[in-house]
Amino acid sequence: VNVQQLRYIRETARRGFNLTEAADALHTSQSGISKQIRLLEFELGVEVFVRKGKRILGLTRAGEGAVEVIERALLEIDNLKRHAADYSVADGGRLIVSTTHNQARYTLPSVIEAFAREFPTVQVELRQVTAQQAAQSVLRGDSDVAIATTALAEAPGLVSFDCFSWRHVVVAPDGHPLTRTRAPSLAAIAAYPIITYSPEFTGRSQIDAAFAGAGLTLDVRLTAMDADVIKTYVARGLGVGIVAETAIEDGDYVKKLDGSDTLFAPSRTKVALQRGALLRSHAYRFIELFAPHLRASLVRRASLGPVGAKPLTEEERTLLSQTPDFTALYRQAAAQKHAAA
Amino acid sequence: VNVQQLRYIRETARRGFNLTEAADALHTSQSGISKQIRLLEFELGVEVFVRKGKRILGLTRAGEGAVEVIERALLEIDNLKRHAADYSVADGGRLIVSTTHNQARYTLPSVIEAFAREFPTVQVELRQVTAQQAAQSVLRGDSDVAIATTALAEAPGLVSFDCFSWRHVVVAPDGHPLTRTRAPSLAAIAAYPIITYSPEFTGRSQIDAAFAGAGLTLDVRLTAMDADVIKTYVARGLGVGIVAETAIEDGDYVKKLDGSDTLFAPSRTKVALQRGALLRSHAYRFIELFAPHLRASLVRRASLGPVGAKPLTEEERTLLSQTPDFTALYRQAAAQKHAAA
DNA sequence: ATAACTTACGGTAGACGTAAGCATC
DNA sequence: GATGCTTACGTCTACCGTAAGTTAT
């Protein structure tokens, strides 16, 4: 058994059982892959792939289990490399974060900045993708950390932690009638044209549910993928906006309506790691900077699982599973900034 | 990175950082080991071992973590081989069980017999060792299953399950005065010379505690490592014996005193597996034969851990954590035997 | 002085790639 | 006929073992 053979099998399984494709992906010849796979099959005494003549169709029953074990073995070898890189003076480091627009644009910039100050030599790579893509990317080991609000909890190969909860708020242009009322009702808002997220996006369902629960129908004029677009059209007077409170900034040309943050159900922003993956220590620090209650040492142990490390105590688990409120977190950060100045 | 290098490092760490010894154990040259280790260290960019001139003294800080990861990586590769062997027609199979005298002599024979009937081609290897040695052996991957009453729960690298609970009972030669009393008291027993286990053995502390709790001092005449020896001397009239109830057999020349099984605190016989190890399916079946409530599929999932597999439900965990009584288990087995005949 | 690791060096197995062969689609 | 896996074959890397060199105990 050697490591290359395991890589060949994993890649072949991932690429839909096409040796040619796997060979391209691994920058080698398909002939070599074919041979090495057969050699390993011979050594194991088991066929991993179902072949029909000279075509590979899928995995045998033995192969299915084998691929699972192979994935874990290769994961441990990656863990070894990352662990070593963490101690290596030569390697300054890299951190790949896959996340959605909402996080990349609003909640992460200050974190990235603080991280860059703390680790000047680490190259941070931020990839803006969909929540599903972020999850897949971490699951395949292509990125270290995924941050998103949905779709991160499902996959069994992921470990996810709640970072903070937030709500949708209503924004209107300066001088809009709604800005003069205190704590507008859902009905008062529904009287205006609405601009908000696309139906398939970031908790749009929670917005719809709130209005439906009050027996109201919405006049949704414009839907967008992100709050920047929404705010732009709201500023031009095309309607009233409903966006994540995380998207409210100081320089906005639109005004958040006071009390509008209690109208909708909260969402939770989560961070997800590959289960069993050992990341470089700065990756855990990055998470800690983003959500201070996610202590590096605890996240590390929780995501590695019980093999080798001692399991978390009850106390430590409650520490990790608390979900602070975004506004509270933000106020704290602002206060610290103020104290520093 | 290749698998040999990982093996070399693991073996060197295990053998007290002696390359020569590691080379002997792996049937290769120490020069090769030296070179391969240095190559891997170069590739990782980290020194794994602390060297002083030309002597290896121990692990660096990076090395400690590296060895842990390497152990897991090699474990997964072993898992791959065992998984494959499970499907291979060529390999009939082997099962290595490390256990103590008490189990090897009394509780296991019928299980081994049943197992051999079910898997005629599997070579069962039973190794009689101390509980500590059994734990170590499983921990190092030298044997598949450990069965013992003590010292199996401690190590973090082990997963252990309760098989059944049993108590110590009092035995006396036929015609002994105690055999005529119903439910003899501790005081009545302490009046005679006692023959029982060595102090460092199988729950001897529970026996001592029972008498100490009643304010009695024992006249221990003879201590032995196993019940066979104890029973032999009891039969010769040298004293009254205290042995595990599992050691009572039909053909015994000594008689178990009725009611003596409630005098001492119960012990639990456990089975232990290496955490994260994937065993061949017949190994799980073997455990199931020994303790029917330890269902093969559940034990498999519980010992593999959460990486890759779905975690156990609450219900499944209670199923595994129940501890049947030995006598109940035995009566059930006897009843089945009777029904079959 | 000896035990023990490293370096040097030669032989060989095996990994890799090109090219040809041969099954499916 | 095109795609895609396997087999054949030559090249070359890199692993292994012997032996000499060097450094602590």
Side-chain angles (χ1 to χ4, degrees), chain A residues 259-326:
Chain A
S260 65
D261 56 352
T262 58
L263 298 172
F264 308 101
S267 300
R268 285 153 183 246
T269 292
K270 302 181 207 40
V271 55
L273 309 176
Q274 188 178 18
R275 193 184 287 276
L278 173 68
L279 302 183
R280 303 201 38 181
S281 54
H282 58 241
Y284 300 112
R285 177 65 183 144
F286 176 83
I287 293 168
E288 204 174 51
L289 284 171
F290 186 62
H293 71 287
L294 298 178
R295 299 253 156 242
S297 60
L298 297 184
V299 170
R300 182 169 173 279
R301 281 164 57 203
S303 55
L304 278 179
V307 183
K310 57 187 166 203
L312 295 176
T313 65
E314 191 59 45
E315 192 187 3
E316 290 170 330
R317 255 183 290 128
T318 53
L319 248 169
L320 281 180
S321 61
Q322 62 181 278
T323 312
D325 194 59
F326 172 73

Side-chain angles (χ1 to χ4, degrees), chain B residues 4 8 28-29 31 35-36 39 52-55:
Chain B
Q4 290 286 39
Y8 292 168
T28 182
S29 70
S31 133
K35 191 170 190 182
Q36 289 305 314
L39 272 171
K52 186 172 182 181
K54 298 215 167 182
R55 216 139 285 215

Side-chain angles (χ1 to χ4, degrees), chain B residues 164-225:
Chain B
F164 50 78
S165 75
W166 53 266
R167 290 163 185 266
H168 290 97
V169 295
V170 182
V171 292
D174 236 339
H176 189 280
L178 278 176
T179 60
R180 284 189 290 275
T181 65
R182 285 226 168 273
S185 67
L186 286 172
I189 294 158
Y192 295 93
I194 299 296
I195 303 176
T196 190
Y197 297 104
S198 313
E200 72 278 9
F201 240 65
T202 321
R204 161 73 184 270
S205 56
Q206 278 155 334
I207 298 171
D208 292 345
F211 286 102
L216 299 165
T217 49
L218 282 183
D219 171 19
V220 179
R221 280 292 165 82
L222 203 151
T223 62
M225 307 265 286

Side-chain angles (χ1 to χ4, degrees), chain B residues 12 20 27 62 125 160 173 180 206 211 225 229 237 239 316 319:
Chain B
T12 304
T20 315
H27 306 295
E125 190 175 325
S160 72
R180 284 189 290 275
Q206 278 155 334
F211 286 102
M225 307 265 286
V229 175
E316 289 169 331
L319 247 169

Side-chain angles (χ1 to χ4, degrees), chain A residues 5-297:
Chain A
Q5 295 170 333
L6 303 185
R7 286 214 188 85
Y8 292 169
I9 287 185
R10 177 178 69 175
E11 203 60 33
T12 304
R14 284 187 175 176
R15 303 264 165 186
F17 312 106
N18 184 322
L19 289 196
T20 314
E21 225 178 289
D24 287 350
L26 297 174
H27 307 295
T28 184
S29 71
Q30 121 249 59
S31 133
I33 292 202
S34 170
K35 192 171 190 182
Q36 289 305 315
I37 289 179
R38 296 198 82 93
L39 272 171
L40 183 61
E41 287 181 324
F42 179 77
E43 182 179 345
L44 294 178
V46 163
E47 303 244 298
V48 173
F49 295 110
V50 176
R51 292 176 175 78
K52 187 171 184 182
K54 298 212 168 184
R55 218 141 280 217
I56 294 180
L57 299 178
L59 291 167
T60 60
R61 256 164 57 82
E64 287 172 27
V67 167
E68 284 178 28
V69 181
I70 287 170
E71 296 259 14
R72 289 204 295 275
L74 290 172
L75 174 62
E76 293 296 355
I77 288 171
D78 282 350
N79 283 348
L80 176 62
K81 289 181 188 164
R82 281 189 294 254
H83 170 80
D86 217 25
Y87 287 88
S88 166
V89 280
D91 189 342
R94 251 162 81 89
L95 176 70
I96 304 180
V97 179
S98 286
T99 187
T100 56
H101 174 273
N102 195 19
Q103 312 308 325
R105 171 72 181 77
Y106 301 111
T107 63
L108 282 175
S110 65
V111 176
I112 302 269
E113 201 179 12
F115 182 84
R117 263 198 304 277
E118 195 169 328
F119 301 95
T121 60
V122 175
Q123 304 171 16
V124 183
E125 190 174 326
L126 197 64
R127 296 187 184 164
Q128 187 195 328
V129 293
T130 67
Q132 286 79 4
Q133 287 170 332
Q136 281 306 311
S137 175
V138 165
L139 215 46
R140 295 183 52 126
D142 293 337
S143 44
D144 300 305
V145 178
I147 302 179
T149 302
T150 46
L152 288 187
E154 281 100 64
L158 290 181
V159 202
S160 71
F161 305 95
D162 287 334
C163 299
F164 51 79
S165 75
W166 52 267
R167 291 163 184 266
H168 289 97
V169 295
V170 183
V171 292
D174 235 339
H176 189 280
L178 278 176
T179 60
R180 285 188 289 274
T181 65
R182 286 225 167 276
S185 66
L186 286 172
I189 294 159
Y192 295 92
I194 300 295
I195 304 176
T196 191
Y197 297 103
S198 314
E200 72 277 11
F201 240 65
T202 321
R204 162 73 185 270
S205 55
Q206 279 153 333
I207 298 171
D208 292 346
F211 286 101
L216 299 165
T217 48
L218 282 184
D219 171 18
V220 179
R221 279 292 164 81
L222 203 151
T223 63
M225 308 264 286
D226 62 76
D228 273 339
V229 175
I230 296 170
K231 287 195 290 184
T232 303
Y233 286 95
V234 169
R236 300 207 171 199
L238 289 201
V240 169
I242 302 176
V243 296
E245 64 171 313
T246 55
I248 303 299
E249 290 180 306
D250 280 347
D252 282 345
Y253 288 106
V254 295
K255 206 164 167 297
K256 180 185 105 181
L257 300 186
D258 290 337
S260 65
D261 56 352
T262 58
L263 298 172
F264 308 101
S267 300
R268 285 153 183 246
T269 292
K270 302 181 207 40
V271 55
L273 309 176
Q274 188 178 18
R275 193 184 287 276
L278 173 68
L279 302 183
R280 303 201 38 181
S281 54
H282 58 241
Y284 300 112
R285 177 65 183 144
F286 176 83
I287 293 168
E288 204 174 51
L289 284 171
F290 186 62
H293 71 287
L294 298 178
R295 299 253 156 242
S297 60

